[in-house]
Every structure is written in structure tokens, then in C-alpha cells.
């Protein structure tokens, strides 16, 4: 195939704001592809991901009956794909010098590598092992013990406990309340047959994305995809999540552990709806302006010794679940919660400080532009864009022109103190 024929298959986006160029295409197999060449870079980074995570545990295919699979199976499947009949993918990567990894989240699983040399060999390994599952009773059983130990390790972690407890306090039915890895009991139900069923359901090219960034040639990447991506019969997946009544289950949950200071997470549950890129950017900006290190609130709480530099705010956006979160360590989480409540009510009355909003907006804009200085960040953002219909370039433009008036309106919507939960992990009375 001539070079012009290959390049004609791309939709090329040349962004005037950031100065970046991204090549988009949908491969004939159905895989969505995005490539951001950065010839001046020394490294290349690639991700091969599927829109399949721990919350996808109840589904139907092509209009069939719904299947409920054991919790943690998406994570289990991620572990098992690295092994095949001959040798593990990590052993193959080691021969190229590439650094490889993978992760499973609530709503996606991604396999990735970065390298400075031998990109084509490493890229070939990525596309090969993800498309060649190999499960036997023996290998699945062997992995069960490894993952069970991993689950127990997380359950002993105060940082995991405080978040997991918050999800249980906020959500009655939604699978976000279940750890990504499942439980020791749930993974005991996983079989090779179930792994193959989930693989063939969710590792379908129509459900997958491939992103590449750094020192790469888009034409050559697409040629390799033509050689290595395997066509499969396409099908329709319907995911089902339990309906949630919108109210938190309990407003306070506590656990004892050996920690020097109490850990806390405070969540504000929101009515779920799909939010725009502009709203995502606004949320981050006003969190920084109202609660971040530049804010008056942060300064007051530091002076009162209710927080330390680890204090922060974030958001949760998943299918069927949406929340604003605060986390950190505090000598008195309950007092800090009340202070946060008071600040929320004050900002709702008086509005966000325009000066601090502008400072936070400029910082956000700078961060959106400079993310293109890192191949890892580029590929990861493009992965989310392709998988969930977001748009990093739209987000960058939003950061350039959002207003404090928009932020005030969204702030009032996202923080309902009557629908919040506080999770605390603190040292027991006897120090246990």
C-alpha cells in the first residue's frame, strides 16, 4: 500500500490552541486509534485498552439474557492475559528493553508500555498477547492465590479502607462499592470458562482503543495495526447497573487501624448525569480556588492544624455514579467536615473569589497545555477520549475561557451537605 493510501485513512486534527497534531482513525477491525507523533521526543508510549472494568459485572450480548459474573473478574483477566503457552509477556518485553504494565479500573482495563528503542518489537508484543488469551484450570488456580494475597494486602491498608468504606456508606447497590479486585470469596468462583466468556465479550475490537504518542511514525503504526489486529465478529454489549435511590446509605462510617493520625474521606453524592468537558474543567478549577493550596480555606485549616499538605479534593465520574470527594489526614475529621460544610454554605451565598478563580483557571490551562510534553499523559488522555467520548482539546479550550459565573452555578449543584458521607480510619483506644 502506498504511503498516501495509508495516510488518507486518518482524520488529522491540528489544534491551533495547543499546536499539537493527532491522527485519528477507526481500524477495519473496529479498534479506535489515536496517534500523536512527537519526533523531538526520545520515548514512545502506547496503550491498548478495553472499555471493561470492575463495574461491568452484569451484562448481556446481542440481546441475550443478562449474565452476572463474580466480582473482580476484570482484574483477574488482566493478570491472566500476560501469560500464554510459551512464556509471559513481561519476559518478551524484557528482551526489548521496554517498560510494560497494566491496570484495571472501575470502567476500563489498559495494557501499556514505554520505550526508547525497539518500538516496533514492543508494539508487536502488546498487540499479540492482548489478543491471545490462554487459560487452563491449573494456571487459573495458581493465579487465585496470588490475587487473594493482593486483596488481603489492600484490605490491610488504611488508605484503601477509608475509601472502600466511603463507597459503602454512599452507595447501596452500585458496584462502585465493591473493590476492583473483588473479594477472596468472589474470585474463588472464577473459572477458565468465565474468563473466556468475559474476554470474548469485552475484548472485542469494537470495544477497544489503541493510542500511541511520542517518537513514532503514524504511517508505520497503522501498517503494524493492519498486520497484527485480528478481526472478530462484532456484537452489541448492554451493561446493567442497579438503580440507586440517590441518597447516601449512612452519613458516617468509622474503622480502627494502626495510623499515626486519622485518615478521612468526605464524599458529596450527586445525581448522576453525563457531564460535559467544560463542567469537568470547571469542577477542577473551583476545587482549587475554594479548597486548594491557594485558597483562604486551606490557609485557615493549616493554621488550625486540621489539615496537612496531603489534603486534597477530587471527583468521581462513572456510569451511574457521580460524587465530589475530599481526602487527607486530620487530627479531628469531624471538625474538619463541619468547617468544609461552613465553607460550602459561605461560597454558595457569596460566590467564589474572582481573583482566586482566575489564578486557578490559569494554572489549569497551563496544565492542560503542558500535558502534551509527556508521551504517557498524551496517550492516557487520548485513551479516555476514544473510550468515553471526551475531548482533551475541548477541555484545554474550556480552561482558556470558563467564567466564575459558570463555576458558581455548578458549585451549588455539586455540593449538597445533606447528602454526604464521612469515612474515618483512626487508631483504636488501645492503640490497635
Amino acid at each position: 500500500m502506498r504511503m498516501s493510501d495509508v495516510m488518507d485513512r486518518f482524520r488529522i486534527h491540528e489544534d491551533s490552541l495547543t499546536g499539537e497534531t493527532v491522527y485519528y482513525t477507526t481500524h477495519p477491525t473496529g479498534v479506535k486509534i489515536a496517534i500523536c507523533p512527537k519526533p523531538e521526543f526520545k520515548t514512545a508510549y502506547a496503550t491498548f485498552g478495553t472499555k471493561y472494568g470492575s463495574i461491568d459485572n452484569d451484562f448481556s450480548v446481542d440481546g441475550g439474557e443478562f449474565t452476572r459474573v463474580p466480582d473482580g473478574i476484570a482484574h483477574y483477566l488482566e493478570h491472566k492475559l500476560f501469560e500464554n503457552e510459551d512464556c509471559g509477556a513481561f519476559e518478551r518485553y524484557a528482551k526489548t528493553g521496554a517498560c510494560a504494565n497494566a491496570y484495571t479500573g472501575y470502567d476500563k482495563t489498559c495494557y501499556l508500555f514505554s520505550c526508547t528503542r525497539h518500538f516496533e518489537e514492543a508494539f508487536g508484543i502488546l498487540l499479540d498477547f492482548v489478543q491471545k488469551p490462554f487459560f487452563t484450570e491449573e494456571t487459573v488456580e495458581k493465579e487465585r492465590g496470588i490475587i487473594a494475597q493482593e486483596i488481603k494486602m489492600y484490605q490491610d491498608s488504611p488508605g484503601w479502607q477509608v475509601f472502600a468504606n466511603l463507597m459503602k456508606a454512599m452507595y447501596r447497590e452500585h458496584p462502585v462499592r465493591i473493590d476492583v479486585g473483588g473479594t477472596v470469596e468472589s474470585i474463588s468462583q472464577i473459572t477458565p470458562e468465565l474468563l473466556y466468556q468475559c474476554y470474548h465479550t469485552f475484548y472485542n475490537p469494537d470495544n477497544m482503543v489503541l493510542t500511541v504518542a511520542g517518537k513514532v511514525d503514524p504511517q508505520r503504526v497503522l501498517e503494524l495495526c493492519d498486520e497484527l489486529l485480528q478481526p472478530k465478529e462484532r456484537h452489541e454489549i448492554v451493561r446493567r447497573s442497579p438503580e440507586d435511590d440517590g441518597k447516601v446509605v449512612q452519613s458516617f462510617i468509622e474503622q480502627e487501624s494502626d495510623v499515626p493520625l486519622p485518615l478521612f474521606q468526605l464524599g458529596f453524592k450527586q445525581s448522576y448525569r453525563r457531564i460535559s468537558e467544560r463542567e469537568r474543567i470547571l469542577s477542577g478549577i473551583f476545587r482549587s480556588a475554594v479548597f486548594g493550596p491557594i485558597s483562604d480555606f486551606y490557609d485557615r485549616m493549616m493554621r488550625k492544624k486540621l489539615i496537612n499538605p496531603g489534603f486534597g479534593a477530587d471527583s468521581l465520574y462513572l456510569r451511574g455514579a457521580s460524587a465530589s470527594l475530599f481526602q487527607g489526614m486530620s487530627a479531628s475529621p469531624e471538625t474538619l467536615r463541619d468547617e468544609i460544610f461552613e465553607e460550602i454554605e459561605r461560597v454558595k451565598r457569596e460566590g467564589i473569589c474572582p481573583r482566586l478563580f482566575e489564578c486557578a483557571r490559569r494554572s489549569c490551562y497551563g496544565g492542560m497545555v503542558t500535558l502534551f510534553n509527556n508521551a504517557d499523559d498524551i496517550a492516557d488522555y487520548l485513551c479516555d477520549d476514544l473510550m468515553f467520548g471526551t475531548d482533551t482539546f475541548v477541555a484545554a479550550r474550556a480552561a482558556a475561557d470558563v467564567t466564575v459565573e459558570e463555576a458558581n452555578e455548578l458549585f451549588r449543584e455539586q455540593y449538597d451537605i445533606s447528602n454526604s458521607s464521612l469515612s474515618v480510619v483512626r487508631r483504636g483506644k488501645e492503640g490497635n
Side-chain angles (χ1 to χ4, degrees):
M1 185 178 292
R2 294 176 304 166
M3 176 179 177
S4 60
D5 294 333
V6 174
M7 298 305 287
D8 285 346
R9 292 162 59 187
F10 286 113
R11 175 178 64 85
I12 303 174
H13 178 84
E14 296 177 327
D15 189 69
S16 59
L17 183 66
T18 63
E20 302 297 337
T21 300
V22 177
Y23 293 73
Y24 295 97
T25 190
T26 298
H27 194 263
T29 58
V31 177
K32 297 180 180 67
I33 300 171
I35 305 166
C36 182
K38 304 283 283 187
E40 71 276 18
F41 281 18
K42 300 296 184 183
T43 62
Y45 184 93
T47 73
F48 195 14
T50 176
K51 190 177 178 181
Y52 173 47
S54 64
I55 66 173
D56 300 310
N57 55 13
D58 194 0
F59 57 88
S60 76
V61 180
D62 294 330
E65 293 185 3
F66 277 85
T67 299
R68 177 67 166 88
V69 293
D71 296 327
I73 196 167
H75 174 252
Y76 209 110
L77 182 52
E78 174 225 308
H79 273 236
K80 292 307 303 167
L81 272 188
F82 278 95
E83 298 179 11
N84 58 32
E85 293 180 85
D86 303 319
C87 67
F90 284 119
E91 297 173 54
R92 299 169 64 190
Y93 274 125
K95 296 176 183 178
T96 72
C99 179
N101 210 337
Y103 64 89
T104 303
Y106 285 115
D107 54 4
K108 66 180 177 180
T109 304
C110 286
Y111 303 83
L112 55 96
F113 75 86
S114 62
C115 66
T116 55
R117 298 182 301 155
H118 308 300
F119 169 80
E120 291 192 12
E121 292 87 342
F123 191 66
I125 295 168
L126 176 68
L127 268 58
D128 180 62
F129 83 86
V130 174
Q131 295 183 97
K132 291 183 178 178
F134 176 71
F135 314 129
T136 66
E137 293 285 355
E138 182 181 1
T139 60
V140 171
E141 184 60 37
K142 177 183 176 182
E143 196 69 31
R144 202 183 317 278
I146 296 171
I147 295 180
Q149 288 301 315
E150 184 177 325
I151 291 171
K152 292 175 182 177
M153 178 183 70
Y154 277 110
Q155 289 176 342
D156 288 338
S157 165
W160 178 90
Q161 292 165 353
V162 71
F163 176 76
N165 289 344
L166 178 65
M167 293 300 101
K168 290 181 174 64
M170 293 181 70
Y171 294 95
R172 190 180 310 278
E173 298 290 343
H174 194 282
V176 71
R177 70 193 310 277
I178 302 167
D179 183 62
V180 169
T183 65
V184 174
E185 180 181 1
S186 70
I187 66 167
S188 70
Q189 304 166 28
I190 294 174
T191 65
E193 292 75 22
L194 283 173
L195 288 172
Y196 276 118
Q197 179 184 6
C198 290
Y199 177 86
H200 291 304
T201 297
F202 293 103
Y203 284 70
N204 188 283
D206 268 351
N207 197 50
M208 302 187 75
V209 305
L210 181 63
T211 63
V212 185
K215 195 174 182 63
V216 295
D217 174 12
Q219 177 193 356
R220 184 56 184 150
V221 171
L222 190 53
E223 289 173 346
L224 290 169
C225 290
D226 288 341
E227 296 173 18
L228 300 170
L229 287 176
Q230 303 170 10
K232 295 181 182 179
E233 183 179 353
R234 301 185 181 187
H235 53 239
E236 181 183 4
I237 306 168
V238 176
R239 299 161 167 88
R240 181 168 63 184
S241 295
E243 293 293 328
D244 197 282
D245 61 11
K247 296 297 183 182
V248 298
V249 180
Q250 58 194 100
S251 60
F252 181 76
I253 187 169
E254 185 177 31
Q255 183 172 337
E256 294 183 356
S257 186
D258 186 14
V259 291
L261 274 176
L263 300 180
F264 76 90
Q265 289 223 358
L266 174 63
F268 294 83
K269 191 175 181 181
Q270 300 160 10
S271 297
Y272 173 73
R273 65 176 177 84
R274 183 177 175 82
I275 70 167
S276 67
E277 291 306 293
R278 196 171 187 86
E279 289 173 315
R280 285 178 186 269
I281 289 297
L282 272 171
S283 296
I285 292 172
F286 68 56
R287 282 196 302 269
S288 178
V290 178
F291 301 108
I294 66 171
S295 69
D296 297 333
F297 174 84
Y298 188 95
D299 182 62
R300 292 199 312 274
M301 295 305 102
M302 288 289 282
R303 291 176 183 275
K304 291 184 177 183
K305 298 183 179 180
L306 285 173
I307 63 171
N308 61 26
F311 173 77
D314 206 343
S315 57
L316 174 73
Y317 297 119
L318 295 171
R319 187 183 77 252
S322 180
S324 295
L325 311 174
F326 294 84
Q327 63 273 327
M329 302 176 73
S330 177
S332 179
E334 292 89 344
T335 303
L336 177 60
R337 173 198 57 198
D338 294 342
E339 293 275 7
I340 292 172
F341 284 177
E342 288 184 17
E343 185 68 1
I344 288 171
E345 293 304 304
R346 185 195 67 78
V347 173
K348 285 183 178 181
R349 291 191 309 271
E350 302 174 11
I352 300 167
C353 171
R355 176 182 59 83
L356 293 177
F357 176 84
E358 181 62 13
C359 181
R361 187 198 63 76
R362 293 187 180 203
S363 176
C364 177
Y365 173 68
M368 292 299 300
V369 173
T370 58
L371 77 84
F372 285 94
N373 292 334
N374 186 293
D376 303 24
D377 288 339
I378 298 170
D380 287 341
Y381 271 87
L382 291 176
C383 179
D384 278 353
D385 288 355
L386 294 182
M387 201 173 285
F388 303 111
T390 58
D391 192 320
T392 298
F393 293 111
V394 170
R397 291 184 184 281
D401 63 11
V402 289
T403 66
V404 69
E405 289 78 18
E406 293 176 89
N408 282 324
E409 183 176 349
L410 188 62
F411 184 93
R412 295 185 185 99
E413 176 186 316
Q414 291 194 350
Y415 293 99
D416 178 2
I417 63 176
S418 69
N419 201 28
S420 63
S421 298
L422 175 65
S423 171
V424 177
V425 172
R426 56 165 47 103
R427 184 184 293 270
K429 295 180 179 178
E430 298 180 2
N432 297 321

